[in-house]
Amino acid sequence: MTFTEQANKIFQQAIRDYHLTDNVDTPVNNPYERDSIEYKLYLKCWIDTVQWHFEDLIRDPHIDLAEALQLKRRIDHSNQDRTDLVEEIDTYFRQLFSDVEPKADARLNTESPAWAVDRLSILELKIWHMKEQAERQDASEEHKARCQAKLEVLLEQRVDLSTAIDQLLEDYKSGSKVMKVYRQMKMYNDPSTNPVLYKK
């Protein structure tokens, strides 16, 4: 089983588990060993899934403003958790390839592997929800056909992105590319770098 085959399977499991209650306040019940990559992948997709539904909720045109502000704070916190976890996954990859000597002509990649995995997790969410729309009993045939066409594109994108990630990992393993981690350096959540916070 390739890395992305395993990852996609775990992402699908996390999304299914969330939708048993379909409630943003449901606590995560991660079935994997805490220090494992499987644990990190499951948690990553759980965070993405909850945030997906946060984003749905905040777009309610009738939402109470105080509730919207509280939800925005939760989205910000979720984004920080997501970024921190992506960096943990990159640390896993860096350790995995730490003994590989890059070739003299080894090249860099525009993003680290964990940020590509981040996109794969979100893509799995798009597939779940587009499939849901394509099968909606209360929707028009035109709506379902349009969503089915989009679903087919998303499924092709999953194949392509999965292949690209697995190829990237092979390049790291062979030394054809240099494994580097690019930290996001988020500033707006840091009271020492956000001027609105440190000028208070």
Side-chain angles (χ1 to χ4, degrees), residues 4 8 11 52 111 116-128 130 147-166:
T4 59
N8 286 325
F11 294 157
W52 178 288
E111 67 179 353
V117 170
D118 170 74
R119 291 193 288 124
L120 192 64
S121 170
I122 294 167
L123 184 56
E124 198 61 55
L125 272 163
K126 291 179 181 179
I127 289 168
W128 172 281
M130 195 62 72
C147 291
Q148 182 62 39
K150 290 179 179 180
L151 176 60
E152 288 166 13
V153 173
L154 291 170
L155 290 170
E156 181 180 357
Q157 289 176 353
R158 180 172 65 188
V159 171
D160 291 349
L161 182 55
S162 297
T163 301
I165 291 170
D166 287 332

Side-chain angles (χ1 to χ4, degrees), residues 3 44 82-94 97 107-120 161 164-169 172 177-184:
F3 175 83
K44 171 70 181 67
R82 170 176 163 256
T83 299
D84 292 346
L85 190 51
V86 169
E87 293 186 353
E88 283 185 39
I89 295 170
D90 262 336
T91 298
Y92 162 82
F93 285 124
R94 186 175 59 185
F97 300 114
R107 298 184 177 195
L108 293 171
N109 205 53
T110 57
E111 67 179 353
S112 64
W115 281 108
V117 170
D118 170 74
R119 291 193 288 124
L120 192 64
L161 182 55
I165 291 170
D166 287 332
Q167 289 174 346
L168 177 62
L169 297 179
Y172 289 140
K177 285 197 172 178
V178 181
M179 174 67 207
K180 292 191 76 172
V181 174
Y182 299 101
R183 303 297 182 188
Q184 294 301 300

Side-chain angles (χ1 to χ4, degrees), residues 7-28 40-58 71 74-75 78-79 81-82 85 117-129 132:
N8 286 325
K9 184 177 177 182
I10 292 170
F11 294 157
Q12 291 158 15
Q13 179 184 9
I15 295 167
R16 279 196 311 271
D17 289 350
Y18 171 85
H19 284 94
L20 291 174
T21 61
D22 200 5
N23 186 320
V24 293
D25 294 315
T26 301
V28 60
K40 290 177 173 62
L41 292 172
Y42 185 97
L43 182 57
K44 171 70 181 67
C45 192
W46 183 275
I47 290 170
D48 292 339
T49 306
V50 172
Q51 186 160 334
W52 178 288
H53 292 86
F54 281 159
E55 298 286 358
D56 280 348
L57 291 170
I58 205 164
L71 193 49
R74 292 182 75 177
I75 290 170
S78 177
N79 266 323
D81 288 345
R82 170 176 163 256
L85 190 51
V117 170
D118 170 74
R119 291 193 288 124
L120 192 64
S121 170
I122 294 167
L123 184 56
E124 198 61 55
L125 272 163
K126 291 179 181 179
I127 289 168
W128 172 281
H129 288 98
E132 189 176 55

Side-chain angles (χ1 to χ4, degrees), residues 25-40:
D25 294 315
T26 301
V28 60
N29 183 20
N30 197 320
Y32 296 101
E33 188 176 334
R34 186 166 188 83
D35 292 329
S36 66
I37 185 60
E38 292 84 1
Y39 182 96
K40 290 177 173 62

